[in-house]
Structure formats: structure tokens, C-alpha cells
Amino acid sequence: MAKDLKEFILNLVKKQREVKSSQVVKESGFSRVYINRFFRQLVAEGKIELIGKANQARYILAGKSSRLVLSVNRLLKNRNLNEDAVFQEIQKTADIFRKISKNVENILSYSFSEMLNNAIEHSQSKQISIRVNRTKKDLKFIVRDYGVGVFRNARKKFHLKNELDAINHL
């Protein structure tokens, strides 16, 4: 039975290029927990790869990762925006953080969240643009706001004479 289910999953992945566990559950009638055991075995055997996390998880044939989502661009409204939720959404829907070490992912999460939080709280911008991109050589992100600017903001906040004084103050 186990061999048949593995073959069923492999044939489905070959036929459709990518498969979610919910699809195999629906077609086979077995529970998600039972099905996921076979997905984990096939991943461990190097026959398929896991792409995404949680409810966005999908499986592809090993070595067929040319369809990965390695770039995310979003224009966000700066209203009730949560930087952690934005980062988690990127983690779930894109493959940018696939096969990177946990400590690198933690550093990226921290720096991205701090920059986005700064734009949310201090820019007074109605919109914030984010871009996260991964290439073979690097992983980078850009957080861009359309706000007043750090020096003008500091000048106003600390009642300074001009922006040069704000630069010195900072």
C-alpha cells in the first residue's frame, strides 16, 4: 500500500508539475497526516522538493525548481500595517527563503521588519513599496516610503533650525 501511494504521488507530481497535499488527500481519501508522511519520505529520498510553508506548501520533482517565486514586489497602504505579518506572508507565498540557514533567515527577518517598521511609524507616507529578490548570488530587499524624510522629520521633532542641524543631531 505504501509503495502504491508513493508511486501515486510521484505520478501526480510528474503529470501536474506541482501538487499540494490537500489534493492527494482529496483524491486518495486518506488523512492529511497519513499523506504527509509519504511526502516527507519522498523528500528525504530526494525524489521531490517542498516549496513554501504551511497552507502554501507544494511539492515538485527534485531538480525542477525553475518555477520558483524568487521575487516579490508589493505596494502597501500604510494603514494598520504589521511588519511581521508582511514578512510572514512573503515567507509563505514565495520561495525566496528556501534552503537558507535559520540564522540567515532570522537576520533577514529582523532587518526587514525594522526597516518596514521605521517606514510605517516615521515616514508619514500613505504607501510603502517593498521588493524582496533572490538570485544565485544574493538575497536583497528594498523598503521604500514616500514620506517626509528622516532629516526633515528630525528637524521638526527636535525643533532644529535646518536639516543640516538634524544630520548633526542624528
Side-chain angles (χ1 to χ4, degrees), residues 10 15 27 31 34 47-48 50 55 64 68 70 74 85-86 89 92-93 96 110 112 142 145 152 156 160 164:
L10 277 174
K15 180 180 173 186
E27 292 188 29
S31 73
Y34 186 71
K47 294 180 180 177
I48 62 174
L50 170 62
N55 63 346
K64 300 288 184 183
L68 298 178
L70 299 176
R74 300 271 192 282
V86 172
E89 188 263 336
K92 286 181 182 178
T93 59
I96 293 168
Y110 178 78
F112 178 88
I142 297 170
D145 65 64
R152 188 179 304 160
K156 188 176 177 182
L160 302 169
L164 187 57

Side-chain angles (χ1 to χ4, degrees), residues 83-84 87-88 91 97 103-115 141:
E83 66 275 2
D84 293 328
F87 189 81
Q88 289 170 1
Q91 283 180 300
F97 302 103
N103 66 324
V104 170
E105 187 173 346
N106 289 340
I107 291 167
L108 288 164
S109 172
Y110 178 78
S111 55
F112 178 88
S113 296
E114 285 298 312
M115 288 182 69
F141 64 86

Side-chain angles (χ1 to χ4, degrees), residues 66-79:
S66 63
R67 297 180 65 222
L68 298 178
V69 177
L70 299 176
S71 183
V72 171
N73 296 301
R74 300 271 192 282
L75 185 60
L76 308 168
K77 291 183 179 181
N78 191 5
R79 197 175 326 125

Side-chain angles (χ1 to χ4, degrees), residues 58-164:
R58 57 202 192 281
Y59 297 87
I60 62 172
L61 285 177
K64 300 288 184 183
S65 54
S66 63
R67 297 180 65 222
L68 298 178
V69 177
L70 299 176
S71 183
V72 171
N73 296 301
R74 300 271 192 282
L75 185 60
L76 308 168
K77 291 183 179 181
N78 191 5
R79 197 175 326 125
N80 300 321
L81 199 53
N82 179 311
E83 66 275 2
D84 293 328
V86 172
F87 189 81
Q88 289 170 1
E89 188 263 336
I90 293 169
Q91 283 180 300
K92 286 181 182 178
T93 59
D95 308 304
I96 293 168
F97 302 103
R98 184 174 163 265
K99 292 187 178 181
I100 65 170
S101 64
K102 193 67 179 163
N103 66 324
V104 170
E105 187 173 346
N106 289 340
I107 291 167
L108 288 164
S109 172
Y110 178 78
S111 55
F112 178 88
S113 296
E114 285 298 312
M115 288 182 69
L116 183 54
N117 178 271
N118 188 50
I120 292 167
E121 291 187 4
H122 303 294
S123 71
Q124 300 171 15
S125 178
K126 292 185 188 322
Q127 295 181 323
I128 299 170
S129 168
I130 62 165
R131 176 179 291 159
V132 185
N133 186 47
R134 181 173 178 179
T135 66
K136 288 183 181 181
K137 294 182 180 180
D138 59 18
L139 194 155
K140 57 187 169 185
F141 64 86
I142 297 170
V143 176
R144 181 177 181 200
D145 65 64
Y146 305 91
V148 297
V150 66
F151 303 122
R152 188 179 304 160
N153 196 20
R155 190 190 109 235
K156 188 176 177 182
K157 183 175 182 176
F158 298 111
H159 310 289
L160 302 169
K161 195 170 23 175
N162 56 43
E163 289 184 18
L164 187 57

